[in-house]
Amino acid sequence: MTMDKYLSVPIKSEELKKLKAGDYVYITGIIYTARDAAHKRMIETLKEGKDIPFNVENNIIYYMGPTPAREGMPIGSAGPTTASRMDKYTPVLLDRGLKGMIGKGKRSDEVKDSIINNGAVYFAAVGGAGALLSKCIKKSTIIAYDDLGTEAIRKLEVENFPVIVVIDTEGQNLYDTASIKYEKE
């Protein structure tokens, strides 16, 4: 049974433990965007012993590259991108305190294990619904890597941003369990 939940960012670990795969969650607060190129640059920066552009601890990264904003809007279409492209970078960020990721698609076993070990959650946003999702974004500011264009890191102020818990803190994976009831015997 799924339940609607409301989550504020920065995230409290106790709140994440209450979330279960399949729950509908509405996120309010500050989240950050980063895709492949930004993740690669952040990991390289960490390897050099330097700080990355924002504190990932108790925060959420949304795997998204927006379209240009229309006049009077803070952002254009803001749909999720495929999360598996960030898998090779994700465990490092989870170990540094990242508590949530928003994307679409499956994650590797290594990422799933890191999610469990770090008490984090993987959320999915509905692919193809970027125009609707953008209505939940109240403010968008590029904070780093402007040279990456749509892959620059953005700070987003979101209100009731709708996501679904795919992998919870215990490792329950909606992508594995949801299809079981539809299998033929």
Side-chain angles (χ1 to χ4, degrees):
M1 183 170 147
T2 61
M3 296 184 59
D4 287 358
K5 306 274 176 96
Y6 294 85
L7 186 65
S8 294
V9 184
I11 300 172
K12 294 181 175 79
S13 293
E14 311 83 64
E15 293 298 314
L16 284 184
K17 290 177 186 174
K18 295 176 187 176
L19 300 178
K20 300 299 173 202
D23 284 347
Y24 294 100
V25 180
Y26 298 91
I27 298 171
T28 297
I30 301 296
I31 64 174
Y32 297 88
T33 67
R35 286 181 40 177
D36 318 42
H39 273 76
K40 181 177 189 260
R41 195 173 289 177
M42 284 191 294
I43 298 306
E44 289 169 351
T45 300
L46 290 171
K47 285 180 181 176
E48 294 170 359
K50 298 177 185 171
D51 290 334
I52 57 176
F54 65 98
N55 182 0
V56 296
E57 192 171 349
N58 300 318
N59 276 313
I60 294 174
I61 293 178
Y62 181 23
Y63 305 141
M64 183 270 299
T67 63
R70 288 196 217 167
E71 190 174 330
M73 301 298 292
I75 200 164
S77 184
T81 196
T82 305
S84 62
R85 296 194 333 241
M86 274 52 76
D87 281 1
K88 62 184 169 186
Y89 310 113
T90 299
V92 171
L93 297 175
L94 288 169
D95 289 345
R96 294 182 69 85
L98 181 67
K99 290 298 182 188
M101 300 140 295
I102 304 169
K104 65 179 180 181
K106 294 187 175 191
R107 305 307 299 263
S108 69
D109 288 338
E110 182 184 9
V111 169
K112 181 180 170 185
D113 292 343
S114 189
I115 286 170
I116 296 166
N117 292 337
N118 290 288
V121 173
Y122 170 52
F123 302 99
V126 177
L132 293 173
L133 291 170
S134 70
K135 293 180 180 188
C136 300
I137 300 171
K138 304 306 176 191
K139 188 174 182 182
S140 171
T141 308
I142 294 175
I143 62 164
Y145 311 151
D146 191 33
D147 61 303
L148 297 178
T150 60
E151 290 202 39
I153 294 178
R154 293 172 185 270
K155 178 180 175 181
L156 302 181
E157 182 181 321
V158 298
E159 185 177 320
N160 292 325
F161 190 88
V163 294
I164 301 166
V165 176
V166 175
I167 303 174
D168 63 30
T169 59
E170 297 173 1
Q172 297 302 308
N173 189 334
L174 182 64
Y175 291 153
D176 294 338
T177 60
S179 61
I180 292 172
K181 67 180 180 179
Y182 299 103
E183 291 179 358
K184 291 185 179 182
E185 295 181 18

